[in-house]
Amino acid sequence: MPGERTITLLAGLFKREPLQLVAGTDYPPARAERLPFVTCRYTEVELQLALLARDCE
């Protein structure tokens, strides 16, 4: 059973919210309550590329 941190990191990787990843699974409700509602959806590289693209416009 992955921990809250792992779920949060995976959610960011797949560009989903943590609760979306555990919805409809047997993930323990008490642990799901501790998940953040939102997560970072960009890796550092993706963020820097997005900023560069914005600056080049």
Side-chain angles (χ1 to χ4, degrees):
M1 186 67 57
E4 292 89 7
R5 180 177 166 85
T6 302
I7 294 291
T8 302
L9 292 171
L10 287 171
L13 179 69
F14 293 115
K15 297 182 177 20
R16 299 283 181 257
E17 302 307 339
L19 292 174
Q20 289 177 311
L21 289 185
V22 299
T25 68
D26 61 350
Y27 197 75
R31 291 177 82 177
E33 289 176 359
R34 295 192 301 254
L35 291 171
F37 290 111
V38 295
T39 187
C40 178
R41 293 185 177 198
Y42 290 101
T43 64
E44 184 62 28
V45 172
E46 289 173 320
L47 175 60
Q48 293 302 323
L49 288 173
L51 292 173
L52 178 63
R54 185 192 68 188
D55 291 343
C56 291
E57 291 179 346

